[in-house]
């Protein structure tokens, strides 16, 4: 048996140094033929430290309510009605839907989140259009662009959930980006009553589509992928 | 009146358990661990069978934690628990999803069976009953032993009783309340090692400790509390040589309320007292510390004072505005309040489960029983003791790298003539 010369405690055979003062154990008379069974397994369990996102999301929601409440209160106190504070309220709702809502649930339904994001954006733009009396801005520009963004996001999400190949997912993203740019171009042209032939969008669509096609072709050539990986790995 | 319970029931949390789910964090896991060392290597297949039988008997343990609108509640689980291999660092934060929903985990390593409990389920007494029953079932299955059952080793062929699931706090609480306010204590400081709990086990002869405690006119618990206070006092003195600014040193000592009331619940039913000293008034030799601890515990362990203490918690739980507050707000508030109050009132904790006696058919297979406390929010070093046969096992757990307080504690015992053998989980 070994004792710590510093602390005076007897040390179990499994101790190579005193756990109280780190003094190494040197016992020349120690019987090395007796197998030593350590009192604990050598496997150390690690903890994945998850940030309490839900608590953080709730905290952010409460903080977000402060400017909304203050602006609505000052609006009511000054002009006895809700005027400009409606913008703050709608903008706050957008921020909540886009940035905070997904963190309130352990497994958020992303499709529902996209629908709510699109709805909140439409609401904000609609309120701006009504109050500022821009005319056909909401129905001419905001609505088609926002809805197409929402639809394309949902399609992309559906594709991403089904598709495991990264290159195909990136290709899909590029194709959808092309469609979105096309929609913007056509919508703006329509609103301005000019030709429905896309102009500036072509400069972005062509490289996106070509890159997307290239990625789809590359996806089928594993040798090329390995070659690129070999040369470009960090 | 039926004393047996329906299956598939749900349970409310007992009064002491209410705080744990809200305040569980990276720093406070509210776990404790009990283990039994056998003469042979543990067979995991037989252990799984024993666990399946034991869990059926302990209805209140086979539950998952669920969120209601106003309170957490426990929902019964039908599927069996998963047996796991033990790890180097016990009482790591429990992921209930990974654990099949269970709030305890059964682990094995070499000759040892260990069970780690989340404090929502039970306290040390209830946990010990579970471990004893599990080991009894294991020994019956492995060796064919017939082990006599009693209130500490339950019969798994019996059905769970209502009295075992009772929340005894409101049952025995009376209307008189008592303030929980106390001065904050000195906190042991060090380099935090949050995800690794260091364990130093001191194995001593119980008769020797008892004789030494008797010389000071104290019980084993009072004596160990005094030694720990002295160790912490030494730490505070090294940190700040001038005693004028020293903070009080108090140790949290859990008290089993089943000794005062005829409760057979397997859930939480314990209170606590915080004996200590005020080092700013001067140096206290060990005999004076023992005297003060003994006097404090004699006064505070009075049934009327203990009742007033837990009656205050029960009254808080019955508060209508609090009950009507949605759970997510309650959790936030509880967490903030606990961070400010919590275990700031004490420097450390000593929990002594006392002397364990097992029936003879078990005695020949069980060589040792251990008890360990998981990390608390602010108290970085904790002691848990248990005696079995003629050995007193003192498990000193800490979540700081420095072992000064542990060294001071054990070397003080050695200086008093108590032989201590130490083993640890150091890497």
């Amino acid at each position: 048996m070994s004792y710590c010369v510093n602390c005076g405690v007897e040390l179990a055979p499994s101790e190579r140094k005193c756990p109280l003062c780190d003094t190494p154990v040197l016992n020349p008379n120690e019987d090395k033929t007796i197998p030593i069974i350590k009192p604990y397994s050598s496997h150390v369990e690690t903890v994945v430290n998850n940030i309490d996102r839900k608590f953080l999301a709730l905290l952010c929601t409460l903080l977000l309510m402060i400017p909304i409440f203050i602006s609505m209160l000052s609006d009511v106190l000054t002009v006895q009605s809700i005027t400009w504070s409606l913008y703050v309220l709608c903008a706050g709702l957008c921020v909540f839907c886009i940035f905070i809502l997904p963190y309130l649930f352990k497994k958020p339904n992303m499709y529902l989140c996209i629908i709510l994001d699109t709805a909140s954006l439409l609401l904000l733009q609609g309120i701006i259009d009504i109050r500022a009396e821009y005319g056909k801005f909401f129905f001419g520009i905001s609505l088609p662009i926002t809805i197409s963004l929402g639809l394309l996001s949902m399609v992309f999400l559906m594709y991403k959930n089904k598709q495991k190949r990264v290159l195909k997912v990136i290709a899909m993203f590029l194709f959808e980006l092309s469609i979105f740019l096309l929609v913007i171009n056509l919508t703006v042209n329509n609103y301005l009553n000019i030709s429905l032939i896309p102009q500036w969008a072509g400069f972005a669509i062509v490289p996106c589509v070509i890159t997307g096609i290239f990625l789809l072709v590359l996806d089928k050539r594993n040798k090329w992928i390995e070659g690129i990986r070999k040369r470009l790995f960090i | 009146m039926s004393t047996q319970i329906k299956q598939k029931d749900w349970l409310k949390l007992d009064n002491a358990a209410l705080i744990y789910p809200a305040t569980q964090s990276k720093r406070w896991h509210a776990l404790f661990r009990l283990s039994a060392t056998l003469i042979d290597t543990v067979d995991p297949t037989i252990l799984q069978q024993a666990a399946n039988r034991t869990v059926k008997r302990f209805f209140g343990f086979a539950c998952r934690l669920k969120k209601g609108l106003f309170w957490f509640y426990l929902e019964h689980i039908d599927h069996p628990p998963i047996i796991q291999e033990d790890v180097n660092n016990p009482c790591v934060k429990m992921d209930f999803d990974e654990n099949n929903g269970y709030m305890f985990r059964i682990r094995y390593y070499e000759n040892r069976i260990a069970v780690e409990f989340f404090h929502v389920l039970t306290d040390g007494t209830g946990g010990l009953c579970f471990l004893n029953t599990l080991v009894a079932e294991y020994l019956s299955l492995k060796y064919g032993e017939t082990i006599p059952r009693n209130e500490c080793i339950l019969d798994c062929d019996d059905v769970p009783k209502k009295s075992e699931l009772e929340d005894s706090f409101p049952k025995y609480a009376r209307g008189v309340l008592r303030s929980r306010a106390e001065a904050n204590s000195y906190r042991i400081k060090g380099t935090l090692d949050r995800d690794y709990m260091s364990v130093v086990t001191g194995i001593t002869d119980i008769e020797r400790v008892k004789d030494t405690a008797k010389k000071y006119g104290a019980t084993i618990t009072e004596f160990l509390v005094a030694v720990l206070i002295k160790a912490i006092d030494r730490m505070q003195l090294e940190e700040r040589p001038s005693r004028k600014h020293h903070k009080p040193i108090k140790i949290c000592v859990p008290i089993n309320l089943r000794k005062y009331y005829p409760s057979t619940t397997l859930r939480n039913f314990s209170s606590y007292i915080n004996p200590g000293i005020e080092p700013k008034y001067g140096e206290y030799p060990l005999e004076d510390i023992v005297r003060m601890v003994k006097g404090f515990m004699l006064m505070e362990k009075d049934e009327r004072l203990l009742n007033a203490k837990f009656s205050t918690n029960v009254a808080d739980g019955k508060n209508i505005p609090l009950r009507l507050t949605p759970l997510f707000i309650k959790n936030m508030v509880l967490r903030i309040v606990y961070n400010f109050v919590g275990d700031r009132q004490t420097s450390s904790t000593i929990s002594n489960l006392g002397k364990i006696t097992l029936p003879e058919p078990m005695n020949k297979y069980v060589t040792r029983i251990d008890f360990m406390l998981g990390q608390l929010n602010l108290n970085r070093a904790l002691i848990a003791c248990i005696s079995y046969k003629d050995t007193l096992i003192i498990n000193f757990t800490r979540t700081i790298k420095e072992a000064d307080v542990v060294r001071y504690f054990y070397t003080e015992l050695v200086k008093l003539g108590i032989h201590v053998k130490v083993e640890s989980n150091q890497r």
Side-chain angles (χ1 to χ4, degrees), chain A residues 3 7 9-12 15 17 19-20 38-41 43-45 47 49 52 55 106, chain B residues 86-89 92 97 107 109 112 195 332 335 372 407 419-426:
Chain A
Y3 282 80
C7 307
V9 294
E10 184 188 343
L11 299 168
E15 304 301 313
K17 55 178 181 166
L20 308 181
K38 284 186 170 280
Y40 294 90
S41 158
H43 169 62
V44 175
E45 188 172 7
V47 176
N49 285 317
D52 193 350
F55 177 80
K106 205 169 179 180
Chain B
D86 206 356
V87 297
N88 183 268
N89 48 335
V92 168
D97 290 334
R107 291 182 157 173
Y109 169 74
R112 187 175 61 224
D195 293 330
M332 280 199 290
R335 203 177 266 198
M372 219 179 273
R407 188 171 70 253
H419 177 267
V420 180
K421 179 178 176 180
V422 296
E423 65 183 28
S424 73
N425 68 337
Q426 62 182 335

CSV table of all heavy atoms in Angstrom, one decimal, chain A residues 3 7 9-12 15 17 19-20 38-41 43-45 47 49 52 55 106, chain B residues 86-89 92 97 107 109 112 195 332 335 372 407 419-426:
chain,number,residue,atom,x,y,z
A,3,TYR,N,1.3,5.5,0.6
A,3,TYR,CA,0.8,6.7,1.3
A,3,TYR,C,1.3,7.9,0.6
A,3,TYR,O,2.4,8.0,0.1
A,3,TYR,CB,1.2,6.6,2.8
A,3,TYR,CG,0.4,5.7,3.6
A,3,TYR,CD1,0.6,4.3,3.6
A,3,TYR,CD2,-0.7,6.1,4.4
A,3,TYR,CE1,-0.1,3.4,4.3
A,3,TYR,CE2,-1.4,5.3,5.2
A,3,TYR,CZ,-1.1,3.9,5.1
A,3,TYR,OH,-1.9,3.0,5.9
A,7,CYS,N,0.2,14.4,2.3
A,7,CYS,CA,-1.1,14.5,3.0
A,7,CYS,C,-1.3,13.4,4.1
A,7,CYS,O,-2.2,13.6,5.0
A,7,CYS,CB,-2.2,14.3,2.0
A,7,CYS,SG,-2.1,15.4,0.6
A,9,VAL,N,-2.5,10.5,3.6
A,9,VAL,CA,-3.6,9.5,3.3
A,9,VAL,C,-3.1,8.3,2.6
A,9,VAL,O,-2.1,8.4,1.9
A,9,VAL,CB,-4.7,10.2,2.4
A,9,VAL,CG1,-5.4,11.3,3.2
A,9,VAL,CG2,-4.2,10.7,1.1
A,10,GLU,N,-3.8,7.2,2.8
A,10,GLU,CA,-3.4,6.0,2.0
A,10,GLU,C,-4.0,6.1,0.6
A,10,GLU,O,-5.1,6.7,0.4
A,10,GLU,CB,-4.0,4.7,2.7
A,10,GLU,CG,-3.6,3.4,2.0
A,10,GLU,CD,-4.3,2.2,2.5
A,10,GLU,OE1,-4.9,2.2,3.6
A,10,GLU,OE2,-4.3,1.2,1.7
A,11,LEU,N,-3.2,5.7,-0.4
A,11,LEU,CA,-3.7,5.8,-1.8
A,11,LEU,C,-4.1,4.5,-2.3
A,11,LEU,O,-3.4,3.5,-2.1
A,11,LEU,CB,-2.6,6.4,-2.6
A,11,LEU,CG,-2.1,7.8,-2.2
A,11,LEU,CD1,-0.8,8.2,-2.9
A,11,LEU,CD2,-3.2,8.8,-2.5
A,12,ALA,N,-5.3,4.5,-2.9
A,12,ALA,CA,-5.7,3.2,-3.6
A,12,ALA,C,-4.7,2.8,-4.7
A,12,ALA,O,-4.0,3.7,-5.2
A,12,ALA,CB,-7.1,3.4,-4.2
A,15,GLU,N,-4.2,4.8,-7.9
A,15,GLU,CA,-3.8,6.2,-8.0
A,15,GLU,C,-2.3,6.3,-8.3
A,15,GLU,O,-1.4,5.7,-7.6
A,15,GLU,CB,-4.0,6.9,-6.6
A,15,GLU,CG,-5.5,6.9,-6.2
A,15,GLU,CD,-6.5,7.5,-7.1
A,15,GLU,OE1,-6.2,8.6,-7.6
A,15,GLU,OE2,-7.5,6.8,-7.5
A,17,LYS,N,-0.9,9.3,-8.8
A,17,LYS,CA,-0.5,10.5,-8.0
A,17,LYS,C,-1.6,10.8,-7.0
A,17,LYS,O,-2.7,10.4,-7.2
A,17,LYS,CB,-0.2,11.7,-8.9
A,17,LYS,CG,-1.4,12.1,-9.8
A,17,LYS,CD,-1.0,13.3,-10.6
A,17,LYS,CE,-2.2,13.6,-11.5
A,17,LYS,NZ,-2.2,14.9,-12.1
A,19,PRO,N,-4.5,12.4,-5.4
A,19,PRO,CA,-5.6,13.3,-5.9
A,19,PRO,C,-5.8,14.5,-5.1
A,19,PRO,O,-6.4,15.5,-5.6
A,19,PRO,CB,-6.9,12.4,-5.9
A,19,PRO,CG,-6.6,11.4,-4.8
A,19,PRO,CD,-5.1,11.2,-4.8
A,20,LEU,N,-5.1,14.6,-3.9
A,20,LEU,CA,-5.3,15.8,-3.1
A,20,LEU,C,-4.2,16.9,-3.4
A,20,LEU,O,-4.5,18.1,-3.2
A,20,LEU,CB,-5.3,15.4,-1.6
A,20,LEU,CG,-6.2,14.3,-1.2
A,20,LEU,CD1,-6.1,14.1,0.3
A,20,LEU,CD2,-7.7,14.7,-1.5
A,38,LYS,N,-9.2,0.1,-12.1
A,38,LYS,CA,-9.5,1.5,-11.8
A,38,LYS,C,-10.9,1.6,-11.3
A,38,LYS,O,-11.8,0.9,-11.8
A,38,LYS,CB,-9.3,2.3,-13.1
A,38,LYS,CG,-7.8,2.6,-13.5
A,38,LYS,CD,-7.7,3.5,-14.7
A,38,LYS,CE,-6.3,4.0,-14.9
A,38,LYS,NZ,-5.9,5.0,-14.0
A,39,PRO,N,-11.1,2.5,-10.4
A,39,PRO,CA,-12.5,2.6,-9.8
A,39,PRO,C,-13.5,3.2,-10.8
A,39,PRO,O,-14.7,3.1,-10.6
A,39,PRO,CB,-12.3,3.6,-8.6
A,39,PRO,CG,-11.0,4.4,-8.9
A,39,PRO,CD,-10.2,3.5,-9.7
A,40,TYR,N,-13.0,3.9,-11.8
A,40,TYR,CA,-13.9,4.5,-12.8
A,40,TYR,C,-13.5,4.1,-14.2
A,40,TYR,O,-12.3,3.9,-14.5
A,40,TYR,CB,-14.0,6.0,-12.7
A,40,TYR,CG,-14.6,6.4,-11.4
A,40,TYR,CD1,-13.8,6.6,-10.3
A,40,TYR,CD2,-15.9,6.7,-11.3
A,40,TYR,CE1,-14.3,7.0,-9.1
A,40,TYR,CE2,-16.5,7.1,-10.1
A,40,TYR,CZ,-15.7,7.2,-9.0
A,40,TYR,OH,-16.2,7.6,-7.8
A,41,SER,N,-14.4,4.0,-15.1
A,41,SER,CA,-14.1,3.8,-16.5
A,41,SER,C,-13.3,4.9,-17.1
A,41,SER,O,-13.3,6.0,-16.6
A,41,SER,CB,-15.5,3.7,-17.3
A,41,SER,OG,-15.3,4.0,-18.6
A,43,HIS,N,-13.7,6.1,-20.0
A,43,HIS,CA,-14.5,6.9,-21.0
A,43,HIS,C,-15.1,8.1,-20.3
A,43,HIS,O,-15.9,8.0,-19.3
A,43,HIS,CB,-15.7,6.0,-21.6
A,43,HIS,CG,-16.7,6.7,-22.3
A,43,HIS,ND1,-16.4,7.4,-23.5
A,43,HIS,CD2,-18.0,6.9,-22.1
A,43,HIS,CE1,-17.5,8.0,-23.9
A,43,HIS,NE2,-18.5,7.7,-23.1
A,44,VAL,N,-14.8,9.3,-20.9
A,44,VAL,CA,-15.3,10.5,-20.3
A,44,VAL,C,-16.5,10.9,-21.1
A,44,VAL,O,-16.4,11.1,-22.4
A,44,VAL,CB,-14.2,11.6,-20.4
A,44,VAL,CG1,-14.8,13.0,-19.9
A,44,VAL,CG2,-13.1,11.2,-19.5
A,45,GLU,N,-17.6,11.2,-20.5
A,45,GLU,CA,-18.9,11.6,-21.2
A,45,GLU,C,-18.8,13.1,-21.5
A,45,GLU,O,-18.5,13.8,-20.5
A,45,GLU,CB,-20.1,11.2,-20.4
A,45,GLU,CG,-21.4,11.4,-21.1
A,45,GLU,CD,-22.6,10.9,-20.4
A,45,GLU,OE1,-22.5,10.5,-19.2
A,45,GLU,OE2,-23.7,10.9,-20.9
A,47,VAL,N,-20.6,16.6,-22.8
A,47,VAL,CA,-22.0,17.2,-22.9
A,47,VAL,C,-22.1,18.1,-24.0
A,47,VAL,O,-21.2,19.0,-24.2
A,47,VAL,CB,-22.3,17.9,-21.6
A,47,VAL,CG1,-23.6,18.6,-21.6
A,47,VAL,CG2,-22.3,17.0,-20.4
A,49,ASN,N,-23.3,21.2,-25.2
A,49,ASN,CA,-24.0,22.4,-24.5
A,49,ASN,C,-24.9,23.1,-25.5
A,49,ASN,O,-24.5,23.9,-26.3
A,49,ASN,CB,-22.9,23.3,-24.0
A,49,ASN,CG,-22.2,22.7,-22.8
A,49,ASN,OD1,-22.9,22.2,-21.9
A,49,ASN,ND2,-20.9,22.8,-22.7
A,52,ASP,N,-29.9,27.6,-24.5
A,52,ASP,CA,-31.4,27.5,-24.4
A,52,ASP,C,-32.0,28.5,-25.3
A,52,ASP,O,-32.3,29.7,-24.9
A,52,ASP,CB,-31.7,27.8,-22.9
A,52,ASP,CG,-33.1,27.5,-22.6
A,52,ASP,OD1,-33.9,27.2,-23.5
A,52,ASP,OD2,-33.5,27.5,-21.4
A,55,PHE,N,-35.5,30.0,-24.4
A,55,PHE,CA,-35.5,31.1,-23.4
A,55,PHE,C,-35.0,32.4,-24.0
A,55,PHE,O,-35.5,33.5,-23.8
A,55,PHE,CB,-34.5,30.7,-22.2
A,55,PHE,CG,-34.4,31.8,-21.2
A,55,PHE,CD1,-35.3,31.9,-20.2
A,55,PHE,CD2,-33.3,32.6,-21.2
A,55,PHE,CE1,-35.2,32.9,-19.2
A,55,PHE,CE2,-33.1,33.5,-20.2
A,55,PHE,CZ,-34.0,33.7,-19.2
A,106,LYS,N,-39.0,23.4,-30.5
A,106,LYS,CA,-37.9,22.5,-30.6
A,106,LYS,C,-37.7,22.0,-32.0
A,106,LYS,O,-36.6,21.9,-32.5
A,106,LYS,CB,-38.1,21.3,-29.7
A,106,LYS,CG,-36.9,20.6,-29.2
A,106,LYS,CD,-37.2,19.6,-28.1
A,106,LYS,CE,-35.9,18.9,-27.7
A,106,LYS,NZ,-36.1,18.0,-26.6
B,86,ASP,N,-20.9,2.7,-17.4
B,86,ASP,CA,-20.6,3.8,-16.6
B,86,ASP,C,-19.4,4.6,-17.3
B,86,ASP,O,-18.8,4.2,-18.1
B,86,ASP,CB,-20.1,3.4,-15.2
B,86,ASP,CG,-20.4,4.4,-14.1
B,86,ASP,OD1,-20.8,5.6,-14.5
B,86,ASP,OD2,-20.1,4.1,-13.0
B,87,VAL,N,-19.3,5.9,-16.8
B,87,VAL,CA,-18.3,6.8,-17.4
B,87,VAL,C,-17.3,7.2,-16.3
B,87,VAL,O,-17.6,7.0,-15.1
B,87,VAL,CB,-19.0,8.0,-18.1
B,87,VAL,CG1,-19.9,7.5,-19.2
B,87,VAL,CG2,-19.8,8.8,-17.1
B,88,ASN,N,-16.3,8.0,-16.7
B,88,ASN,CA,-15.3,8.4,-15.8
B,88,ASN,C,-15.8,9.6,-15.0
B,88,ASN,O,-15.5,9.7,-13.8
B,88,ASN,CB,-14.1,8.9,-16.6
B,88,ASN,CG,-12.9,9.3,-15.8
B,88,ASN,OD1,-12.8,10.5,-15.5
B,88,ASN,ND2,-12.1,8.4,-15.3
B,89,ASN,N,-16.7,10.4,-15.6
B,89,ASN,CA,-17.2,11.6,-14.9
B,89,ASN,C,-18.7,11.5,-14.5
B,89,ASN,O,-19.5,11.7,-15.4
B,89,ASN,CB,-17.0,12.9,-15.7
B,89,ASN,CG,-17.4,12.7,-17.2
B,89,ASN,OD1,-17.5,11.6,-17.7
B,89,ASN,ND2,-17.8,13.8,-17.8
B,92,VAL,N,-23.1,13.6,-15.0
B,92,VAL,CA,-23.1,14.6,-16.1
B,92,VAL,C,-24.6,14.9,-16.4
B,92,VAL,O,-25.4,14.1,-16.2
B,92,VAL,CB,-22.4,13.9,-17.4
B,92,VAL,CG1,-22.7,14.7,-18.6
B,92,VAL,CG2,-21.0,13.7,-17.1
B,97,ASP,N,-34.1,13.1,-23.5
B,97,ASP,CA,-34.5,12.5,-24.8
B,97,ASP,C,-33.6,11.3,-25.1
B,97,ASP,O,-34.0,10.2,-25.5
B,97,ASP,CB,-34.3,13.5,-25.9
B,97,ASP,CG,-35.4,14.5,-25.8
B,97,ASP,OD1,-36.4,14.2,-25.3
B,97,ASP,OD2,-35.1,15.7,-26.3
B,107,ARG,N,-26.3,2.6,-14.6
B,107,ARG,CA,-25.0,2.3,-15.2
B,107,ARG,C,-24.3,1.2,-14.5
B,107,ARG,O,-24.5,0.9,-13.3
B,107,ARG,CB,-24.2,3.6,-15.1
B,107,ARG,CG,-24.8,4.7,-16.1
B,107,ARG,CD,-24.0,6.0,-16.1
B,107,ARG,NE,-24.4,6.7,-17.3
B,107,ARG,CZ,-24.0,7.9,-17.6
B,107,ARG,NH1,-23.2,8.5,-16.8
B,107,ARG,NH2,-24.3,8.4,-18.8
B,109,TYR,N,-20.3,-0.8,-14.2
B,109,TYR,CA,-18.9,-0.8,-14.5
B,109,TYR,C,-18.2,-1.8,-13.7
B,109,TYR,O,-18.3,-1.8,-12.4
B,109,TYR,CB,-18.2,0.6,-14.3
B,109,TYR,CG,-16.7,0.6,-14.4
B,109,TYR,CD1,-16.0,0.5,-15.6
B,109,TYR,CD2,-15.9,0.7,-13.2
B,109,TYR,CE1,-14.7,0.5,-15.7
B,109,TYR,CE2,-14.6,0.7,-13.3
B,109,TYR,CZ,-13.9,0.6,-14.5
B,109,TYR,OH,-12.6,0.6,-14.6
B,112,ARG,N,-19.7,-2.9,-10.3
B,112,ARG,CA,-20.5,-1.8,-9.7
B,112,ARG,C,-21.8,-1.5,-10.5
B,112,ARG,O,-21.8,-1.4,-11.7
B,112,ARG,CB,-19.7,-0.6,-9.5
B,112,ARG,CG,-20.4,0.6,-8.7
B,112,ARG,CD,-19.5,1.8,-8.5
B,112,ARG,NE,-19.1,2.3,-9.8
B,112,ARG,CZ,-17.9,2.7,-10.0
B,112,ARG,NH1,-16.9,2.6,-9.1
B,112,ARG,NH2,-17.6,3.2,-11.2
B,195,ASP,N,-18.0,20.5,-17.1
B,195,ASP,CA,-18.5,19.2,-17.7
B,195,ASP,C,-17.7,18.0,-17.1
B,195,ASP,O,-17.9,16.9,-17.6
B,195,ASP,CB,-18.3,19.2,-19.2
B,195,ASP,CG,-19.3,20.2,-19.8
B,195,ASP,OD1,-20.4,20.5,-19.2
B,195,ASP,OD2,-19.0,20.8,-20.9
B,332,MET,N,-38.9,31.6,-16.0
B,332,MET,CA,-37.9,32.7,-16.1
B,332,MET,C,-37.7,33.4,-14.8
B,332,MET,O,-36.6,33.7,-14.4
B,332,MET,CB,-38.5,33.8,-17.1
B,332,MET,CG,-38.2,33.4,-18.6
B,332,MET,SD,-38.4,34.7,-19.7
B,332,MET,CE,-40.1,35.1,-19.7
B,335,ARG,N,-35.8,31.2,-12.3
B,335,ARG,CA,-34.4,31.1,-12.7
B,335,ARG,C,-33.7,32.3,-12.2
B,335,ARG,O,-32.6,32.2,-11.7
B,335,ARG,CB,-34.3,30.9,-14.2
B,335,ARG,CG,-33.0,30.3,-14.6
B,335,ARG,CD,-33.0,30.1,-16.1
B,335,ARG,NE,-33.4,28.7,-16.4
B,335,ARG,CZ,-33.2,28.1,-17.5
B,335,ARG,NH1,-32.6,28.7,-18.5
B,335,ARG,NH2,-33.6,26.9,-17.8
B,372,MET,N,-23.2,10.0,-3.9
B,372,MET,CA,-22.5,11.1,-4.4
B,372,MET,C,-23.5,12.2,-4.8
B,372,MET,O,-24.6,11.9,-5.3
B,372,MET,CB,-21.8,10.6,-5.7
B,372,MET,CG,-20.5,11.1,-6.0
B,372,MET,SD,-19.9,10.3,-7.5
B,372,MET,CE,-19.2,8.8,-7.0
B,407,ARG,N,-8.2,18.6,0.1
B,407,ARG,CA,-7.0,18.2,0.8
B,407,ARG,C,-7.1,18.6,2.3
B,407,ARG,O,-6.8,17.9,3.2
B,407,ARG,CB,-5.8,18.9,0.2
B,407,ARG,CG,-4.4,18.4,0.7
B,407,ARG,CD,-3.3,18.9,-0.1
B,407,ARG,NE,-3.1,20.3,0.0
B,407,ARG,CZ,-3.3,21.2,-0.9
B,407,ARG,NH1,-3.8,20.8,-2.1
B,407,ARG,NH2,-3.1,22.5,-0.7
B,419,HIS,N,-7.7,7.1,9.9
B,419,HIS,CA,-7.0,6.6,8.7
B,419,HIS,C,-8.0,6.8,7.5
B,419,HIS,O,-9.1,6.3,7.6
B,419,HIS,CB,-6.7,5.1,8.9
B,419,HIS,CG,-6.0,4.5,7.7
B,419,HIS,ND1,-6.8,3.8,6.7
B,419,HIS,CD2,-4.8,4.5,7.3
B,419,HIS,CE1,-6.0,3.4,5.8
B,419,HIS,NE2,-4.7,3.8,6.1
B,420,VAL,N,-7.5,7.4,6.5
B,420,VAL,CA,-8.3,7.6,5.3
B,420,VAL,C,-7.6,7.0,4.1
B,420,VAL,O,-6.4,7.3,3.8
B,420,VAL,CB,-8.5,9.1,5.0
B,420,VAL,CG1,-9.3,9.4,3.8
B,420,VAL,CG2,-9.1,9.8,6.2
B,421,LYS,N,-8.3,6.2,3.3
B,421,LYS,CA,-7.8,5.7,2.1
B,421,LYS,C,-8.5,6.4,1.0
B,421,LYS,O,-9.8,6.5,1.0
B,421,LYS,CB,-8.0,4.2,2.0
B,421,LYS,CG,-7.5,3.6,0.7
B,421,LYS,CD,-7.8,2.1,0.7
B,421,LYS,CE,-7.4,1.4,-0.6
B,421,LYS,NZ,-7.6,0.0,-0.6
B,422,VAL,N,-7.8,7.0,0.0
B,422,VAL,CA,-8.5,7.8,-1.1
B,422,VAL,C,-8.3,7.1,-2.4
B,422,VAL,O,-7.3,6.5,-2.7
B,422,VAL,CB,-8.0,9.2,-1.2
B,422,VAL,CG1,-8.3,10.0,0.1
B,422,VAL,CG2,-6.5,9.3,-1.5
B,423,GLU,N,-9.4,7.2,-3.2
B,423,GLU,CA,-9.3,6.9,-4.6
B,423,GLU,C,-10.1,8.0,-5.4
B,423,GLU,O,-10.9,8.7,-4.7
B,423,GLU,CB,-9.9,5.5,-4.9
B,423,GLU,CG,-11.4,5.4,-4.6
B,423,GLU,CD,-11.9,4.0,-4.8
B,423,GLU,OE1,-11.2,3.0,-4.6
B,423,GLU,OE2,-13.1,3.9,-5.1
B,424,SER,N,-9.8,8.1,-6.6
B,424,SER,CA,-10.4,9.2,-7.4
B,424,SER,C,-10.7,8.8,-8.8
B,424,SER,O,-10.3,7.7,-9.3
B,424,SER,CB,-9.5,10.4,-7.3
B,424,SER,OG,-8.4,10.2,-8.2
B,425,ASN,N,-11.3,9.7,-9.5
B,425,ASN,CA,-11.6,9.5,-11.0
B,425,ASN,C,-10.6,10.3,-11.8
B,425,ASN,O,-10.9,10.6,-12.9
B,425,ASN,CB,-13.0,9.8,-11.3
B,425,ASN,CG,-13.3,11.3,-11.2
B,425,ASN,OD1,-12.7,12.0,-10.5
B,425,ASN,ND2,-14.4,11.7,-11.9
B,426,GLN,N,-9.5,10.7,-11.2
B,426,GLN,CA,-8.6,11.6,-12.0
B,426,GLN,C,-8.1,10.9,-13.2
B,426,GLN,O,-7.8,9.7,-13.3
B,426,GLN,CB,-7.4,12.1,-11.1
B,426,GLN,CG,-6.5,11.0,-10.6
B,426,GLN,CD,-5.4,11.5,-9.7
B,426,GLN,OE1,-5.0,12.7,-9.8
B,426,GLN,NE2,-4.8,10.7,-8.9
